[in-house]
Amino acid sequence: MLQARHIIKRFGNVTALKGVSFDLHAGEIHALCGENGAGKSTLIKILSGIYPHGEFEGELLIDGTPAHFAGIADSERAGIGVIYQELALVGEMTVAENIFLGREPRTSLGLIDWDRLYSETRSLFTEFHLNLEAIARVGPMGVGQKQLVEIAKALAKRSRIMILDEPTAALSENEVRTLLEILGQLRQRGMTMIYISHKLEEIFQIADRITVLRDGESIVTQNTRDTDREELIRHIAGREISQLFPKIRSTPGGELLRIEGLSVQNAAGAMTLENISLSVRAGEVLGLGGLIGAGRTELLMHLFAGWGRRTGGNILLHGKILLGGRPGEAIARGLVLVTEDRKRYGLHLDQDIEFNLSLSSLDHITHSGWINHDLELSRNREMFSSLKIKAASLDALAGNLSGGNQQKVVLGKALLTSPHVVLLDEPTRGIDVGAKLEIYHLINRLTSAGKAVILVSSELPELMGMSDRILMMRSGRLTGEFDPATASQEELVSAAMH
């Protein structure tokens, strides 16, 4: 159905794609794998018309006929629909309005047919077993629910070729299971899909064939049944990765953070966190698990003074009460948050890497209100190198980086504050195997240096592989504490759901 032949795409002096070839058979799910910066997003933007014909070298064919897309509309008319990793929704609108935005059903008078719009949306949800409310406003939804709305948008267009870019990165295990079932049903109906994911277990579960990109080149295309996890990782990383979760077990020191009976209301006055009590010690990774909506992100955001109104309980940092008036107080006291939503809360996308790295630690590089630029550059260069951020220089715009490298900038910005307690909210979401390993090693460095880490993750193997203790949450409450050395995934799921 689709062929990309010897595609070359340059950005100034940087060649993002170096003669990539890729083909797609009718009725297959074809996985596209590679580390962040391998060229996957660039290839998608060519297939979807964002980079139009003439801005790249090589040939693109649909059903054997050369395709010269002038823009996104041409790609959509050819039957290509894309679900991007980064969300493109209007928060003030309802779910149904977002799904039909720009192609709303009309009455004979040319007005929007609201009854039909909502009835067709509900029929779509029933057909594909999506747990969404057509009349719900999108703005207050969590990342996982918003991702499902994006998926519903693509399904509603009935595209012949669907490209899914990290569609499960923010979804709970139940939602992932539902999505993969939906994709299996679509394949049976003849839908053709390109599936991009760093979650190898999903790829082996759903894909018919796999193509690996590395450093802008197409490395290999294989039938899924003819390869295995270890070989695929070798192709992706270009090296052996012997241990996926290289956790260094340490002996925890003194208590750094204590929460006593914490209860917090949301903006509408509803109790979202109830009677939360926990502690974390120096050199310890405390894992925090639960389904989307359990309150994990809200807890971390409240600790950082970025969300909610406290109605009861105390937060103690180094034994002294943390009032939680503003994030600046938390940072000054040695507590920092790496947010799950890097584009909304973590970065200024229109500014360069250096600007972003310095933002949370300006007091470390200023004197009498003036920034010491030599000191700033020295600190940022060291962090840039330490985190192996893939960019031409510190002057590169954050918005032009791959998702994984954007996440590294958010991490670097947090670490430059010299924290004692680091809150990591889904730090490896949408990140490839190699970059995940780098973040795991970073967590080890933090705990070896006596820092305390609270790790929120929706991936149970990651939670069990990198935590010293695990707490599970459900509906704003803690439902159990587990030793990852002895607990099973079934026990953790049970605590998250019952």
Side-chain angles (χ1 to χ4, degrees):
M1 289 185 73
L2 179 150
Q3 285 179 289
R5 293 177 176 171
H6 309 295
I7 302 295
I8 298 172
K9 173 62 179 172
R10 297 183 176 90
F11 298 95
N13 295 326
V14 177
T15 304
L17 297 179
K18 307 168 186 175
V20 165
S21 293
F22 175 86
D23 63 77
L24 188 64
H25 298 166
E28 78 166 337
I29 297 179
H30 193 139
L32 188 61
C33 301
E35 292 188 314
N36 294 105
K40 305 185 302 295
S41 295
T42 304
L43 179 59
I44 291 171
K45 289 175 180 177
I46 287 173
L47 299 180
S48 63
I50 291 177
Y51 298 143
H53 179 72
E55 289 191 5
F56 60 90
E57 299 171 40
E59 191 174 26
L60 188 62
L61 298 95
I62 303 291
D63 296 321
T65 302
H68 299 158
F69 298 152
I72 296 171
D74 285 349
S75 176
E76 289 185 343
R77 275 192 290 271
I80 298 175
V82 186
I83 303 168
Y84 289 103
Q85 180 182 350
E86 306 301 341
L87 309 176
L89 299 168
V90 182
E92 293 74 16
M93 290 184 169
T94 66
V95 171
E97 288 170 329
N98 270 279
I99 288 173
F100 283 95
L101 185 60
R103 50 188 199 87
E104 297 84 354
R106 301 281 174 172
T107 67
S108 58
L109 298 176
L111 303 174
I112 294 176
D113 188 336
W114 293 107
D115 289 342
R116 187 176 153 204
L117 183 143
Y118 280 100
S119 67
E120 289 189 9
T121 300
R122 292 188 183 100
S123 296
L124 184 76
F125 294 166
T126 300
E127 180 182 356
F128 293 109
H129 310 290
L130 296 180
N131 186 21
L132 293 168
E133 285 289 335
I135 60 172
R137 195 165 64 85
V138 165
M141 289 179 165
V143 177
Q145 289 290 299
K146 288 177 179 177
Q147 181 68 73
L148 288 180
V149 176
E150 284 281 17
I151 290 165
K153 276 173 59 179
L155 293 172
K157 292 179 181 178
R158 312 288 176 176
S159 304
R160 293 193 311 139
I161 298 171
M162 189 184 297
I163 303 174
L164 300 103
D165 185 7
E166 295 286 352
T168 66
L171 303 187
S172 69
E173 288 201 5
N174 282 339
E175 289 168 329
V176 170
R177 202 158 33 243
T178 298
L179 174 63
L180 295 184
E181 289 173 0
I182 290 168
L183 299 185
Q185 293 167 11
L186 289 172
R187 174 169 50 192
Q188 290 176 355
R189 298 177 195 180
M191 174 70 76
T192 304
M193 286 168 271
I194 300 173
Y195 190 89
I196 299 168
S197 178
H198 295 305
K199 298 180 180 179
L200 302 187
E201 64 274 12
E202 291 177 11
I203 288 170
F204 281 100
Q205 183 178 343
I206 197 70
D208 300 295
R209 287 194 299 155
I210 303 170
T211 290
V212 174
L213 299 187
R214 187 171 73 236
D215 297 329
E217 299 182 68
S218 40
I219 301 301
V220 68
T221 296
Q222 291 178 290
N223 291 322
T224 307
R225 64 177 179 271
D226 295 333
T227 187
D228 58 27
R229 183 187 182 94
E230 288 70 28
E231 183 182 28
L232 184 58
I233 289 174
R234 273 200 309 277
H235 287 315
I236 291 170
R239 62 191 184 277
E240 294 279 355
I241 295 181
S242 57
Q243 190 180 359
L244 209 52
F245 302 108
K247 169 68 176 166
I248 296 176
R249 302 293 167 186
S250 59
T251 302
E255 183 179 271
L256 294 185
L257 176 70
R258 171 173 287 273
I259 303 172
E260 299 173 335
L262 180 68
S263 294
V264 183
Q265 290 180 340
N266 63 19
M271 195 66 72
T272 304
L273 301 174
E274 294 189 64
N275 196 30
I276 301 286
S277 295
L278 60 85
S279 67
V280 60
R281 295 182 288 170
E284 181 181 34
V285 178
L286 177 64
L288 200 57
L291 303 180
I292 289 172
R296 301 167 304 167
T297 292
E298 288 80 1
L299 175 58
L300 265 56
M301 289 281 281
H302 183 76
L303 294 177
F304 194 59
W307 176 88
R309 186 177 72 84
R310 195 178 307 174
T311 60
N314 286 313
I315 300 170
L316 293 93
L317 189 60
H318 295 292
K320 296 180 180 179
I321 289 178
L322 183 65
L323 295 175
R326 57 188 179 85
E329 178 198 355
I331 292 173
R333 292 278 302 277
L335 184 145
V336 71
L337 169 68
V338 175
T339 172
E340 70 162 344
D341 195 344
R342 55 182 171 260
K343 293 210 169 185
R344 184 177 180 187
Y345 296 124
L347 295 169
H348 282 274
L349 297 172
D350 57 351
Q351 296 287 345
D352 61 29
I353 295 171
E354 182 161 27
F355 178 92
N356 278 281
L357 283 174
S358 300
L359 270 182
S360 294
S361 57
L362 288 172
D363 58 328
H364 293 232
I365 55 174
T366 54
H367 181 70
S368 301
W370 294 92
I371 293 175
N372 182 334
H373 287 292
D374 289 339
L375 178 59
E376 177 186 30
L377 183 59
S378 172
R379 282 160 44 92
N380 287 343
R381 277 179 175 166
E382 185 178 344
M383 187 60 68
F384 183 86
S385 174
S386 173
L387 294 180
K388 300 177 183 175
I389 297 170
K390 290 183 180 178
S393 70
L394 285 166
D395 295 331
L397 290 183
N400 291 340
L401 301 177
S402 67
N405 286 297
Q406 287 179 349
Q407 185 73 343
K408 288 181 181 181
V409 175
V410 178
L411 279 163
K413 181 180 69 168
L415 297 180
L416 283 169
T417 67
S418 302
H420 303 292
V421 179
V422 182
L423 311 178
L424 299 177
D425 194 356
E426 304 282 7
T428 65
R429 182 170 71 88
I431 287 178
D432 62 74
V433 174
K436 279 185 178 183
L437 199 63
E438 291 172 8
I439 289 176
Y440 298 150
H441 285 305
L442 174 62
I443 292 172
N444 285 334
R445 293 207 302 271
L446 290 172
T447 54
S448 296
K451 317 293 186 186
V453 175
I454 297 182
L455 171 66
V456 167
S457 177
S458 296
E459 296 186 30
L460 291 182
E462 176 176 271
L463 206 60
M464 297 173 76
M466 291 305 300
S467 303
D468 295 293
R469 289 184 296 131
I470 297 174
L471 296 176
M472 297 302 291
M473 290 187 70
R474 179 175 58 82
S475 302
R477 293 176 176 269
L478 294 177
T479 56
E481 179 174 331
F482 300 88
D483 180 348
T486 57
S488 68
Q489 290 196 33
E490 289 75 19
E491 288 177 299
L492 298 183
V493 170
S494 178
M497 298 182 68
H498 300 108

